[in-house]
Amino acid sequence: MSVFTDRKSIRKYDKNHQIPDDILNKILKEAFRAPTSMNMQPNRVVVVRSKAEKEKLKDVLYGNQIQLETSSAFIIIFSDLEKFDMAPKIFNMAYENGLMPKEVRDRQIENALIYKEKFTSDHLKRDAYIDGGLLAMQLMLVAKSYGYDTCPIGGFNHQTINDALDIDKKLLPILIVSIGKKDEEGFASLRLGLEDTVIYK
Ligand SMILES: Cc1cc2nc3c(=O)[nH]c(=O)nc-3n(C[C@H](O)[C@H](O)[C@H](O)COP(=O)(O)O)c2cc1C
């Protein structure tokens, strides 16, 4: 079994299976090893598990109701548009763990303040989608390695999801990943060949 070639989107899960908290936390911790631009780690996830919280997503989704009803959790990836405010914490951690000299820490924190002023909203959003996408992919592969299946879900209302779950607007919604024990085989899907997708120079 290779998680890379065997992963496929699963949309129906065993309703009665709840992923144990410790396993879910392990999956999330490993997923968060995904790289981010300048290691600024803007990804935040909201894990929706209870029936009451799932109910709030019913009208936010475009279709995708089977995943909502049967999954163990909806992991909703957001990106913090004020990510540079975390620079002191991030670089101080590196310094305190002996990974960075003091001068480098101070320079990095100063640079982050400059970026905070300079980055346009478009630039921030572009990085947010890249960082969030990398987290989503790693999350799906890590989940598979723990015997769980997933479905990436972009079919939701990006304008209403924050209000529905009472999430601060500084968090930009990126993608939902449903996760659970599979109760279907899912569809096989093909990929275009390298002749259509790769340009060697
Ligand atoms: C950005 C993105 C958004 C997606 N949104 C949905 C969705 O809203 N609902 C759904 O059932 N599948 C969704 N998918 C799953 C794709 O349909 C699926 O990944 C694709 O058909 C390839 O199949 P596979 O994942 O089984 O390899 C999405 C995938 C991506 C990457």
Side-chain angles (χ1 to χ4, degrees):
M1 210 270 289
S2 156
V3 296
F4 304 105
T5 50
D6 291 353
R7 182 215 58 82
K8 55 183 168 173
S9 292
I10 293 295
R11 297 174 175 85
K12 186 169 176 240
Y13 309 90
D14 174 355
K15 257 187 181 174
N16 301 314
H17 183 88
Q18 265 300 330
I19 304 178
D21 284 359
D22 59 324
I23 302 289
L24 187 55
N25 283 335
K26 270 187 187 172
I27 292 172
L28 289 169
K29 245 188 141 66
E30 289 179 28
F32 269 101
R33 289 299 308 171
T36 60
S37 175
M38 289 183 272
N39 198 28
M40 218 31 64
Q41 305 171 52
N43 294 312
R44 309 283 178 265
V45 305
V46 175
V47 181
V48 176
R49 290 186 293 186
S50 72
K51 237 185 158 144
E53 291 299 310
K54 278 185 168 183
E55 189 67 28
K56 296 177 184 170
L57 288 173
K58 243 178 144 170
D59 294 335
V60 171
L61 297 172
Y62 302 138
N64 297 306
Q65 298 295 319
I66 296 174
Q67 297 98 310
L68 185 67
E69 281 160 26
T70 63
S71 62
S72 199
F74 259 35
I75 299 171
I76 310 175
I77 299 173
F78 291 87
S79 192
D80 185 355
L81 294 172
E82 295 173 10
K83 65 180 180 180
F84 289 119
D85 291 347
M86 291 295 271
K89 181 170 188 171
I90 290 168
F91 293 117
N92 223 11
M93 269 170 72
Y95 165 65
E96 280 171 1
N97 282 278
L99 302 180
M100 192 178 269
K102 207 171 182 204
E103 308 75 61
V104 176
R105 174 198 69 183
D106 293 343
R107 201 168 55 241
Q108 297 277 36
I109 294 172
E110 261 174 48
N111 284 342
L113 284 175
I114 295 169
Y115 297 137
K116 184 183 166 171
E117 296 306 316
K118 283 209 165 149
F119 271 32
T120 62
S121 162
D122 279 354
H123 191 162
L124 270 175
K125 284 184 182 169
R126 188 195 65 192
D127 284 353
Y129 286 114
I130 295 171
D131 289 342
L134 290 171
L135 172 66
M137 190 70 250
Q138 183 136 328
L139 174 61
M140 293 190 285
L141 295 177
V142 170
K144 189 81 190 154
S145 77
Y146 279 86
Y148 287 101
D149 282 282
T150 56
C151 180
I153 298 174
F156 66 91
N157 189 330
H158 289 235
Q159 309 307 322
T160 61
I161 193 164
N162 290 59
D163 282 341
L165 293 173
D166 198 17
I167 300 295
D168 195 316
K169 293 274 171 43
K170 74 170 184 162
L171 300 188
L172 178 74
I174 307 289
L175 192 71
I176 300 172
V177 176
S178 59
I179 184 168
K181 263 275 171 258
K182 74 173 174 185
D183 191 29
E184 65 168 11
E185 279 314 306
F187 300 108
S189 62
L190 298 173
R191 297 295 186 266
L192 296 169
L194 300 191
E195 67 281 8
D196 289 316
T197 54
V198 178
I199 299 168
Y200 282 110
K201 293 280 192 193

